[in-house]
Amino acid sequence: MAVAAITDNYAGERLDRVENFHGNQVIYIGWDYHLMFCAPVAFAISPDTPFDRLLEELIPGAYSQHPEFERIDWDSVQWILNGEAFTPELDASLAAQGIDHKSILRFNTPGLGGIQGSGS
Amino acid sequence: MSKVYLALQDNEESHYIVEAVEEDNPAVTVIYQPAMIRMENEGQMVVRRETVEEKMGRDWEVQSIHVNLITLGGNVEEDDDALTLSWND
Amino acid sequence: MSPKKLSLKEKYSLLTRDLEWEYSYRDYKEIFPQEEFEGIKITDWSKWEDPFRLTMDAYWKYQAEKEKKLYAIFDAFAQNNGQLNVADARYVNAVKLFLTGVSPLEYQAYSGFAQVGRQFGGVGARVACQMQSLDELRHVQTQIHAMSHYNKFFDGLSEFNHMHDRVWYLSVPKSFFDDARSAGPFEYMVAIGFSFEYVLTNLLFVPFMSGAAYNGDMATVTFGFSAQSDEARHMTLGLEIIKFLLEQHPDNVPIVQRWINKWFWRGTRVLTLVAMMMDYMLPNRVMSWKEAFEVYFEEAGGALFKDLARYGIEMPVYAETAIAEKEHLSHQAWSIFYNYTHAAAFHTWMPNEREMDWLSEKYPNTFDRYYRARFEHWREMERAGERFYNPTLPMLCQTCQIPMGFTEMDNPTLIAYRQSVFQGERYNFCSDGCKDIFDHEPQKYVQSWLPVHQIFQGNCGGAEMEDVLAGYYRMNLGTDNLDFHGSPDEQRWNHWHNLQTAAEQMKKAS
């Protein structure tokens, strides 16, 4: 719908266009059923970043304080990209596998139910 | 039927208003909470100037209820003689 | 012989309606250029009713009386060192959140009502807006006066106005009002006058303020109730606006319903902050957020919408979701602020055992099952000297701007994710309510100033968190932020009351 406005054809400036991030794009990462981290986390990184850098740096940096983090079996992790099941290619860049600006990448770790199984 | 409600600051003046409301609305429920008094009634509640004046022993203008009022719920009708709250069910 | 005293009705008629004049040499549309563009149809402004029939002379008289009472209490509070008598120093953090998050909204409301009042062709509406505008200015002034006393003794209050415009969590209330004020005059009235004032502010000003009294804070309860005495008039005005719009033209009904849906949802999201203030920041508790929501939304709002059903108005579309969320809201909000207290200008803490038991009792369906284990784990981490802080910035909702900490009500441990694509760009939301609002007016919400994205874009003082927090936000790091335990606030409080901190007790024992 158009905005009801006093000027015709009202259009707003898109504040978070990818061009505004100095060569980076924003991605969000969420670890399902681990609400000790209250919300998904946000990163501004290059679209050329290979996926395995997420596994080696970004995800441990964000989540390693969780007592279950060490126990994650990364081979059995289920990935969800923008609501769809997703199989990452570790060597390929984010851009090359469709992880675009403001994408949400979730991971689910079967068997790990959070602190005392509370989803935390 | 829905409840209308009126909450007043818990102070000396309000105590007379509450007494008057209790007299004019026998079914009213009065709930004392920290620093406030909440009155609830099914459908309707009336604050009558004459009754309040009788309790206070002096003149009282209906509009001066604003000084002690905290909140209310219901359609408001106010004139020189009364403040009325009601729901149309 | 003294002149006959005018009745309320006569006085109201002379001092409001009679102030109007015929527009003889300018076109009506030139004088009121914003009256039509929202699609609202007004056929007869004279049908506008102010049930309180308040005129300016009576307004000044009663407001002056309220102010005298209020300032007598402020004076007594200051002269008696009232700050020493609050339940404990943790409580003051609710005051900090109020001053930084709510008081600036009063100023926005003052400005907003002055602006929209000018736009209405009906004199009754203009006079009512003028009074409300003055009320709101009084509220912001009295709140600053009341809380300036706390600023002499506690941290985190000194830069409230600067912070309101910049700090990440304060973008939530700020953007709420920016959204209302940048809408047309009728939407503003439905947003603030009705949805916010009538349906929601009771939850802030009544049970929370009663709680302030119960925690020994006479200054706050008094400005709160004094403000709320004006709100009772605003609520009545808000209800009259709705009835007036619905009676003017049937075409107004769907527009008003959409605004009610939107602003009910926007309001419940803003009140997330109040939920946690009630359940976590009042050391002496009067009622839980859930109980307050039941009384002031489900019961009072239910009665209201039943009354409006004759116009074809229904309950706000996501009322059911909001009702389900009452079991979770405060716990999820407290989790968010506990995660990010290192970036906040107030302190958080883990509830003690007695407080956790109270939460279990008040939230039998949710607290033990979903939240207690998390909180106990955090408490263990703190005891081990590793107080948990989330090291990464959170994802925010495009509409309400709150970190995405809300969960699916049919699966309360799964974060709710919603997404829209507009002009090739993804936009993310915490809820159906927030997504709907965006989808209806994407050109408005693509402009959201999301604090996390602004930091990434380099617009908030620099790349390091210290640049953002100390420089751009003006937080005193190590003083305003971090856990209550170990804070200068706690140390001063203990010193005043000859108490020992947990750390000192440990030291003595060893």
Side-chain angles (χ1 to χ4, degrees):
Chain A
M1 285 284 287
V3 175
I6 41 178
T7 51
D8 292 333
N9 303 314
Y10 175 84
E13 183 193 347
R14 289 190 288 132
L15 242 54
D16 293 326
R17 287 178 305 139
V18 69
E19 297 79 38
N20 294 352
F21 291 85
H22 313 290
N24 288 329
Q25 68 173 39
V26 176
I27 66 162
Y28 309 107
I29 296 179
W31 183 6
D32 283 356
Y33 303 111
H34 287 77
L35 294 174
M36 173 168 144
F37 306 93
C38 61
V41 292
F43 298 96
I45 51 170
S46 165
D48 301 329
T49 307
F51 193 93
D52 58 12
R53 223 197 106 206
L54 302 186
L55 296 181
E56 281 156 23
E57 288 176 38
L58 270 53
I59 290 176
Y63 291 119
S64 61
Q65 292 179 82
H66 199 287
E68 288 181 343
F69 187 79
E70 290 296 309
R71 291 165 48 205
I72 297 175
D73 170 12
W74 289 99
D75 294 331
S76 72
V77 163
Q78 297 158 349
W79 295 92
I80 300 166
L81 176 64
N82 295 314
E84 308 282 336
F86 173 73
T87 308
E89 291 175 52
L90 299 186
D91 304 335
S93 71
L94 303 179
Q97 49 195 319
I99 306 173
D100 54 11
H101 184 44
K102 296 199 276 175
S103 279
I104 302 167
L105 185 65
R106 288 160 53 192
F107 63 103
N108 187 354
T109 49
L112 301 179
I115 296 156
Q116 292 176 40
S118 69
S120 290
Chain B
M1 193 75 97
S2 308
K3 277 183 198 161
V4 298
Y5 65 90
L6 182 70
L8 301 176
Q9 294 188 39
D10 187 351
N11 59 32
E12 278 307 314
E13 248 186 22
S14 298
H15 294 163
Y16 296 113
I17 302 172
V18 172
E19 269 185 52
V21 169
E22 284 179 309
E23 187 166 310
D24 291 331
N25 308 266
V28 71
T29 308
V30 182
I31 304 161
Y32 291 85
Q33 285 170 344
M36 62 181 269
I37 308 167
R38 185 184 155 97
M39 294 171 279
E40 303 176 345
N41 206 28
E42 293 287 331
Q44 203 192 345
M45 189 188 310
V46 59
V47 185
R48 243 184 267 287
R49 178 177 55 79
E50 266 192 350
T51 322
V52 177
E53 287 183 338
E54 191 190 302
K55 301 289 174 200
M56 285 184 178
R58 63 168 168 84
D59 290 347
W60 183 74
E61 287 177 2
V62 177
Q63 282 193 327
S64 70
I65 199 169
H66 284 288
V67 175
N68 300 310
L69 186 60
I70 293 173
T71 185
L72 53 80
N75 293 296
V76 174
E77 177 60 37
E78 189 184 81
D79 60 23
D80 300 87
D81 297 321
L83 168 78
T84 309
L85 297 171
S86 63
W87 289 124
N88 308 294
D89 281 329
Chain C
M1 197 183 109
S2 59
K4 179 180 164 280
K5 198 172 171 248
L6 294 171
S7 77
L8 266 185
K9 280 180 186 164
E10 288 165 331
K11 205 167 92 172
Y12 179 70
S13 168
L14 287 169
L15 290 180
T16 59
R17 299 302 162 84
D18 231 32
L19 300 177
E20 184 65 308
W21 64 91
E22 293 292 321
Y23 308 112
S24 58
Y25 60 94
R26 287 286 184 188
D27 185 51
Y28 183 90
K29 285 186 186 174
E30 261 185 301
I31 301 169
F32 301 109
Q34 294 187 18
E35 217 179 89
E36 286 182 357
F37 78 90
E38 296 170 273
I40 289 291
K41 293 174 182 159
I42 304 296
T43 54
D44 183 3
W45 271 112
S46 76
K47 292 280 193 300
W48 176 282
E49 285 291 334
D50 175 358
F52 283 129
R53 302 197 174 85
L54 198 61
T55 52
M56 281 317 287
D57 60 326
Y59 175 81
W60 293 126
K61 180 179 148 190
Y62 293 122
Q63 296 302 94
E65 214 172 309
K66 288 182 193 174
E67 291 281 274
K68 272 187 211 153
K69 287 179 65 171
L70 182 57
Y71 277 83
I73 294 171
F74 287 174
D75 289 346
F77 186 80
Q79 287 160 7
N80 288 303
N81 283 314
Q83 78 282 354
L84 295 175
N85 301 326
V86 297
D88 75 48
R90 295 179 304 168
Y91 163 76
V92 179
N93 291 287
V95 176
K96 298 175 191 179
L97 193 51
F98 197 101
L99 182 66
T100 53
V102 179
S103 299
L105 300 187
E106 304 274 16
Y107 190 82
Q108 289 237 51
Y110 144 71
S111 188
F113 278 99
Q115 186 189 5
V116 302
R118 169 61 186 83
Q119 298 301 330
F120 292 134
V123 65
R126 290 208 297 274
V127 170
C129 285
Q130 175 183 327
M131 286 176 196
Q132 184 156 356
S133 176
L134 292 168
D135 290 340
E136 306 290 3
L137 188 59
R138 175 176 100 86
H139 298 174
V140 63
Q141 288 174 339
T142 53
Q143 286 166 22
I144 292 167
H145 278 152
M147 289 184 268
S148 68
H149 183 74
Y150 284 107
N151 183 44
K152 296 173 188 165
F153 303 98
F154 296 91
D155 297 315
L157 294 142
S158 58
E159 292 287 352
F160 72 97
N161 207 27
H162 178 88
M163 286 181 179
H164 185 73
D165 285 337
R166 299 187 179 207
V167 174
W168 60 277
Y169 53 92
L170 300 175
S171 80
V172 174
K174 178 182 164 64
S175 63
F176 171 89
F177 246 96
D178 286 347
D179 188 351
R181 288 188 56 199
S182 55
F186 290 110
E187 183 175 346
Y188 177 86
M189 290 303 278
V190 173
I192 306 303
F194 179 72
S195 298
F196 200 57
E197 298 272 7
Y198 205 107
V199 186
L200 299 168
T201 50
N202 262 331
L203 280 159
L204 172 60
F205 276 100
V206 186
F208 176 75
M209 289 300 169
S210 186
Y214 201 48
N215 283 275
D217 184 1
M218 282 323 293
T220 296
V221 65
T222 310
F223 82 65
F225 283 169
S226 188
Q228 187 63 28
S229 69
D230 298 343
E231 307 291 351
R233 180 155 35 76
H234 303 168
M235 289 167 64
T236 306
L237 175 67
L239 181 53
E240 290 306 312
I241 289 158
I242 288 285
K243 291 195 290 193
F244 172 73
L245 293 178
L246 297 172
E247 282 168 10
Q248 284 290 305
H249 202 284
D251 290 356
N252 294 344
V253 176
I255 301 176
V256 168
Q257 179 75 59
R258 187 169 52 71
W259 287 340
I260 290 173
N261 293 344
K262 169 180 171 180
W263 288 100
F264 166 76
W265 190 255
R266 294 286 269 129
T268 54
R269 278 293 180 252
V270 168
L271 288 190
T272 301
L273 296 173
V274 184
M276 76 173 198
M277 283 160 77
M278 283 194 59
D279 281 345
Y280 288 88
M281 302 176 89
L282 295 178
N284 299 332
R285 287 147 165 92
V286 179
M287 58 163 66
S288 66
W289 167 257
K290 181 181 154 192
E291 288 163 332
F293 195 82
E294 285 164 355
V295 173
Y296 288 100
F297 177 69
E298 291 180 61
E299 195 180 301
L304 168 69
F305 283 100
K306 221 159 89 184
D307 188 76
L308 293 175
R310 66 201 145 114
Y311 300 106
I313 289 291
E314 294 169 357
M315 280 289 270
V317 65
Y318 293 114
E320 286 304 315
T321 311
I323 291 169
E325 283 186 350
K326 75 186 174 189
E327 298 265 10
H328 299 275
L329 202 63
S330 65
H331 319 306
Q332 295 182 350
W334 193 244
S335 291
I336 291 171
F337 283 96
Y338 190 83
N339 266 240
Y340 292 107
T341 305
H342 49 311
F346 63 92
H347 305 298
T348 60
W349 53 88
M350 268 300 108
N352 61 35
E353 203 57 33
R354 185 177 53 83
E355 291 163 341
M356 290 224 208
D357 290 345
W358 181 85
L359 291 162
S360 297
E361 181 197 320
K362 292 293 180 182
Y363 293 93
N365 304 322
T366 52
F367 187 73
D368 285 353
R369 187 162 167 203
Y370 301 114
Y371 302 101
R372 191 161 187 144
R374 183 190 312 173
F375 288 3
E376 285 171 352
H377 179 71
W378 280 338
R379 198 168 59 188
E380 288 310 307
M381 287 180 75
E382 186 193 340
R383 281 181 184 152
E386 293 169 356
R387 200 279 194 194
F388 173 68
Y389 294 106
N390 193 319
T392 322
L393 298 181
M395 174 185 186
L396 307 179
C397 170
Q398 183 77 20
T399 304
C400 70
Q401 310 200 3
I402 300 176
M404 297 260 300
F406 303 105
T407 58
E408 301 285 2
M409 283 303 102
D410 56 5
N411 188 355
T413 51
L414 186 65
I415 296 278
Y417 292 92
R418 301 292 183 273
Q419 193 176 70
S420 293
V421 175
F422 177 68
Q423 295 182 340
E425 187 173 330
R426 293 179 196 282
Y427 294 91
N428 297 294
F429 313 96
C430 69
S431 55
D432 293 323
C434 281
K435 177 176 154 59
D436 279 6
I437 292 166
F438 177 94
D439 288 346
H440 188 76
E441 293 183 305
Q443 290 287 8
K444 187 168 194 179
Y445 300 96
V446 297
Q447 302 170 74
S448 294
W449 192 93
L450 297 181
V452 169
H453 292 177
Q454 290 298 317
I455 292 168
F456 288 157
Q457 291 181 28
N459 298 333
C460 300
E464 298 301 321
M465 280 322 287
E466 196 172 335
D467 301 331
V468 176
L469 300 176
Y472 189 69
Y473 290 173
R474 293 195 194 158
M475 283 177 193
N476 294 310
L477 297 181
T479 303
D480 295 346
N481 63 342
L482 303 177
D483 200 283
F484 175 75
H485 298 296
S487 69
D489 268 5
E490 183 196 39
Q491 284 165 15
R492 275 190 301 268
W493 179 262
N494 289 339
H495 176 69
W496 298 333
H497 292 88
N498 294 317
L499 299 172
Q500 291 175 336
T501 62
E504 284 163 351
Q505 284 169 359
M506 293 270 284
K507 213 166 156 188
K508 271 204 178 142
S510 62

